[in-house]
Amino acid sequence: FYQVYASKTINGEKMGHAMISRLFLCGFGSSMVLGTVAGSLVDAIGRKAGCLAFAILYALSALTTRSSSLYTLVAGRVLGGVATSLLFSAPEAWLVGENQKRGF
């Protein structure tokens, strides 16, 4: 996404390296915060629902890159971070659960 952000103009100025770095930190920060509870969240809502939530949140995150609004870009990075946390817990848990159900 770096090249996408580098092509953006916010308030009449091109986005610089520092602003792009802050955008990425928003995503990493949200992933860090939610990552500590993602496993419990997936257990609560279900593994399949966790995988679907990942897909929807990541798709929404990708769609926000079309915007030139800084607030929308930040929201997209936060959504991407939340989706990444789900990515690293839901699919593996779903796979293991299904294998255990089938006796593997």
Side-chain angles (χ1 to χ4, degrees):
F1 286 125
Y2 183 87
Q3 292 299 325
V4 172
Y5 294 133
S7 69
K8 298 289 180 191
T9 303
I10 307 288
N11 296 330
E13 295 182 25
K14 284 279 208 189
M15 286 186 72
H17 182 72
M19 181 58 72
I20 296 169
S21 298
R22 288 184 189 110
L23 280 175
F24 277 97
L25 283 175
C26 287
F28 296 143
S30 66
S31 182
M32 176 185 67
V33 170
L34 187 68
T36 59
V37 296
S40 299
L41 179 67
V42 167
D43 286 340
I45 66 171
R47 295 171 180 125
K48 184 176 181 180
C51 290
L52 292 172
F54 154 73
I56 291 167
L57 290 175
Y58 198 80
L60 290 173
S61 172
L63 286 174
T64 63
T65 62
R66 309 267 308 155
S67 176
S68 291
S69 164
L70 183 59
Y71 295 112
T72 304
L73 294 173
V74 169
R77 291 305 305 166
V78 170
L79 282 175
V82 171
T84 300
S85 292
L86 291 172
L87 171 66
F88 289 118
S89 59
E92 289 182 25
W94 190 16
L95 177 69
V96 170
E98 287 296 315
N99 279 332
Q100 287 176 349
K101 263 196 243 178
R102 295 169 192 222
F104 290 111

